[in-house]
């Protein structure tokens, strides 16, 4: 039975996986989503950076 890492790698190399990765890249290119991620990272790390 393949490990979870092997299964993820196989998915990411498939056409469906490549579509998901490309969609994620498009979403991360949006400034609003970048700001949301910064706020989440600050909250998780316990920092209060502005």
């Amino acid at each position: 039975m393949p490990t979870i890492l092997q299964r993820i790698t196989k998915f990411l190399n498939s056409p469906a996986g490549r579509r998901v990765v490309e969609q994620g890249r498009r979403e991360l290119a949006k400034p609003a989503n970048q700001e949301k991620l910064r706020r989440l990272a600050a909250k998780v790390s316990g920092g209060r950076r502005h």
Side-chain angles (χ1 to χ4, degrees), residues 1-3 6 12 19 23 27 37-39 43 46:
M1 186 168 157
T3 66
Q6 289 170 332
L12 290 175
R19 280 193 297 273
Q23 181 181 1
E27 290 299 317
L37 282 174
R38 279 191 206 96
R39 278 187 263 135
K43 185 185 240 184

Side-chain angles (χ1 to χ4, degrees), residues 11-43:
F11 171 73
L12 290 175
N13 288 327
S14 72
R18 282 190 230 113
R19 280 193 297 273
V20 169
V21 169
E22 185 56 37
Q23 181 181 1
R25 285 188 179 135
R26 282 194 306 269
E27 290 299 317
L28 285 174
K30 297 177 182 177
N33 290 337
Q34 290 176 5
E35 182 58 31
K36 286 179 189 176
L37 282 174
R38 279 191 206 96
R39 278 187 263 135
L40 177 63
K43 185 185 240 184

